[in-house]
Amino acid sequence: QVQLVESGGGLVQPGGSLRLSCAVSGFKVSTSSLSWIRQAPGKGPEWVSSISISGIKTNNDFVKGRFTISRDGTKNTLTLQMDMLKPEDTALYYCAKGLGWNLISTGERTHWGQGTQVTVSS
């Protein structure tokens, strides 16, 4: 059974850091396309970053080098290191199996986690 469980969210001050993790079961992260997607209240989902056998792609419209996606094949986990956080980064962050921009365009949410809340505020 495919399961994705996010963790690591919380409340941080602007300029702070968080490391989000996604525990995956049912498939191997080392051979799968994976994404981080976020959604703020009242807004549509935004693709954050993706990793696949073709490499890493990131939404530079707002990330601007502040976030780093990675995976650990041994632990079968996906990670998002978030630095220099801004209030605008406040959202529910999801990990998902697939390429973020495709998942958003098709509306597919079958292989998304439950999300972990990130709140950036002073």
Side-chain angles (χ1 to χ4, degrees), residues 96-112:
K97 182 177 186 293
L99 299 176
W101 55 94
N102 288 337
L103 297 174
I104 292 173
S105 66
T106 62
E108 193 280 322
R109 300 183 73 109
T110 303
H111 297 142
W112 293 35

Side-chain angles (χ1 to χ4, degrees), residues 3-7 21-25 36 78 95 112-116:
Q3 288 187 319
L4 303 95
V5 182
E6 302 93 334
S7 63
S21 294
C22 177
V24 175
S25 62
W36 285 100
L78 178 72
C95 62
W112 293 35
Q114 83 288 349
T116 185

Side-chain angles (χ1 to χ4, degrees), residues 16-112:
S17 299
L18 281 176
R19 180 176 295 164
L20 307 183
S21 294
C22 177
V24 175
S25 62
F27 65 92
K28 296 181 178 180
V29 302
S30 61
T31 56
S32 301
S33 297
L34 299 160
S35 297
W36 285 100
I37 299 166
R38 72 184 190 185
Q39 187 166 13
K43 296 183 178 180
E46 291 183 312
W47 162 62
V48 177
S49 188
S50 296
I51 187 168
S52 70
I53 59 174
S54 297
I56 295 171
K57 293 186 180 297
T58 301
N59 190 342
N60 289 320
D61 287 345
F62 60 85
V63 171
K64 303 295 184 183
R66 299 179 299 122
F67 300 171
T68 303
I69 190 172
S70 63
R71 56 186 169 188
D72 187 329
T74 301
K75 298 180 179 180
N76 211 45
T77 57
L78 178 72
T79 298
L80 183 68
Q81 176 65 43
M82 308 169 68
D83 299 316
M84 298 175 285
L85 285 162
K86 305 175 181 179
E88 306 94 278
D89 295 319
T90 296
L92 189 63
Y93 284 71
Y94 301 91
C95 62
K97 182 177 186 293
L99 299 176
W101 55 94
N102 288 337
L103 297 174
I104 292 173
S105 66
T106 62
E108 193 280 322
R109 300 183 73 109
T110 303
H111 297 142
W112 293 35

